[in-house]
Amino acid sequence: MYFRLSVKSIISRLTLTLLLSAVVGFFIGNTFLIVAISAVSLLIWHYHHLLKLIKWLWRSKTISPPVAKGIWGRIYDGLYRRTRKHRKKQKALNAKIRQFRDGAEALPDAALVLSDDLIIEWGNKKAQRLLGIRWPGDIGQRIDNLLRFPEFSQYIENGNFDIPCHIPSPINADLILELRLMAYGSEQVLFLARDVSKVHRLEEMRRDFVANVSHELKTPLTVVRGYVEMVQMTEHALDPYWQKVFNTMETQVSRMDRLVEQLLILSRVEINIDDDDKQLIDMPKLLHALVEDSHWLNQDKNHHITADIDEHLAIEGIDNEIKSACLNLISNAISYTQANGKIDISWQMDGNKAKFSVKDNGPGIRPENVNRLTERFFRVDKSRSRDTGGSGLGLAIVKHVLNHHHAELAINSQWGKGSEFIIYFEPNCIRPLP
Ligand code: ADP
């Protein structure tokens, strides 16, 4: 039902009432008095309903408004309809919130809704069990006041929430939690914590297994290699068939030795997540030494190697890890570039980052393979890589070293034209040398 009240109808009703009073007053003989009495009665009637309305709005608990006739009845009806509509909407919203909360309770993860300044607004039961959040006592607290772990503080400070952060559970140190923060809506952040203890333990077991096996393989390999070399020293006494056999043995044992060595390096880099070993690395000195060594590696291929090194640019990091990463890139360029190629090594500032780059005019890499290069044991051309003594672990080592140093690897390559492998070091690890 729709009720319309126009100014015209108000004026006409008022005029009609006053006119009627005037006519009655005229017959009684006191027009003014009767008109005044009816005007005052009208006012009293309106004030009476105004008071009733205020009472109902502010004190009454029922949603049905007072009963009234005429215009005030219409007003009460309108208000009643509006309140009912509002209640219906509120019920629908409450049902939606309940659904969302039930959904969040059904999640296998601990879930918290935070404001954009990381204040806890709501959390599911799993959050109480995994994170020790008390309900409702901890509402209104900042999440980093309750999870006091340096890794988490650092994570919040860095503000890069694309990758998760790992911390032990505050109520059970045996549990490892993977934390993720996701902004949603305009001012809300969803905080998810998942128990990844099993995956973490499996990953640890895998690392330990690879490290132990590699370590155990080292001794028998050294013994076999020693014997093969001993026999080769008496090569002249062997007939050509056995000479070939022992040469092949020596090549294969050397390959295996290199593979085991690289597996050990990879395990060491993976296990070592401690930043305490970081120290000032005199990069110009380290790179000059590597360039010197590269000439020795380059004897067969005779590439033209140039080096453009900023003599005042150093970084803070782990010396042997950075050395291994740079050496890998240089030796790959030497190995994969056809003889008499051109290799440019450079160490310079690029914007606010320090940039180490190795550029070659070798065969290049097809775009579909570029993203897979840092996978363990990935080799573009297995037979060629085997000929160069490659194991497919070099760039995996580089990737882990760079992760450890919060540095980035960029690969620019054009199939048939050459490749450039670049390491970018963040400004916070750059140190100037005098
Ligand atoms: P490998 O021990 O086989 O060299 P890496 O992890 O160092 O293993 O490299 C992975 C693969 O990337 C190599 O097998 C090779 O196919 C390719 N690659 C690496 N560096 C270059 C380069 N400079 N030019 C062309 N291909 C390269």
Side-chain angles (χ1 to χ4, degrees), residues 214-405:
S214 318
H215 192 75
E216 292 303 322
L217 278 173
K218 196 90 190 128
T219 319
L221 266 176
T222 315
V223 174
V224 173
R225 193 186 182 143
Y227 280 122
V228 170
E229 278 172 1
M230 247 172 70
V231 174
Q232 276 183 319
M233 271 192 263
T234 57
E235 220 174 23
H236 51 278
L238 298 172
D239 67 56
Y241 174 77
W242 286 108
Q243 275 181 28
K244 202 171 160 221
V245 168
F246 277 100
N247 280 342
T248 312
M249 273 172 84
E250 203 266 337
T251 316
Q252 293 305 322
V253 170
S254 302
R255 249 195 81 205
M256 214 158 153
D257 202 33
R258 256 196 314 274
L259 182 62
V260 167
E261 192 55 52
Q262 290 219 299
L263 275 173
L264 278 172
I265 295 176
L266 189 55
S267 302
R268 263 201 302 273
V269 176
E270 269 189 317
I271 289 168
N272 183 13
I273 47 162
D274 210 348
D275 276 358
D276 294 348
D277 300 342
K278 290 187 178 165
Q279 48 176 305
L280 183 79
I281 307 176
D282 187 337
M283 284 296 279
K285 194 170 157 201
L286 183 144
L287 291 176
H288 280 302
L290 287 183
V291 172
E292 191 74 19
D293 292 350
S294 69
H295 290 300
W296 184 83
L297 283 174
N298 188 32
Q299 275 169 344
D300 295 340
K301 295 258 181 122
N302 197 28
H303 298 308
H304 177 63
I305 301 179
T306 65
D308 175 18
I309 295 170
D310 181 337
E311 301 296 336
H312 303 286
L313 186 54
I315 55 163
E316 199 176 89
I318 300 175
D319 189 74
N320 55 1
E321 288 190 5
I322 294 294
K323 185 174 172 187
S324 155
C326 297
L327 181 62
N328 258 308
L329 299 188
I330 296 175
S331 63
N332 272 352
I334 293 176
S335 304
Y336 294 106
T337 304
Q338 58 282 6
N340 304 314
K342 189 169 165 0
I343 296 172
D344 300 321
I345 300 168
S346 135
W347 172 241
Q348 294 291 341
M349 281 301 286
D350 184 4
N352 62 350
K353 296 189 177 179
K355 173 181 164 187
F356 172 71
S357 124
V358 181
K359 192 172 177 184
D360 63 54
N361 64 348
I365 302 153
R366 286 183 197 275
E368 65 268 26
N369 288 324
V370 169
N371 287 338
R372 300 198 56 199
L373 292 184
T374 54
E375 286 174 20
R376 281 155 210 250
F377 299 110
F378 180 81
R379 287 166 294 176
V380 175
D381 180 345
K382 293 199 171 40
S383 57
R384 231 173 97 234
S385 174
R386 204 171 291 128
D387 293 344
T388 60
S391 61
L393 287 173
L395 291 176
I397 294 174
V398 173
K399 185 181 104 179
H400 273 90
V401 167
L402 299 192
N403 278 350
H404 196 180
H405 287 79

Side-chain angles (χ1 to χ4, degrees), residues 80-96:
Y80 178 63
R81 282 157 65 86
R82 196 167 267 234
T83 316
R84 262 200 6 215
K85 222 161 129 190
H86 183 69
R87 286 229 165 174
K88 242 192 200 161
K89 252 191 198 161
Q90 204 174 11
K91 263 192 190 161
L93 277 175
N94 282 345
K96 282 252 155 32

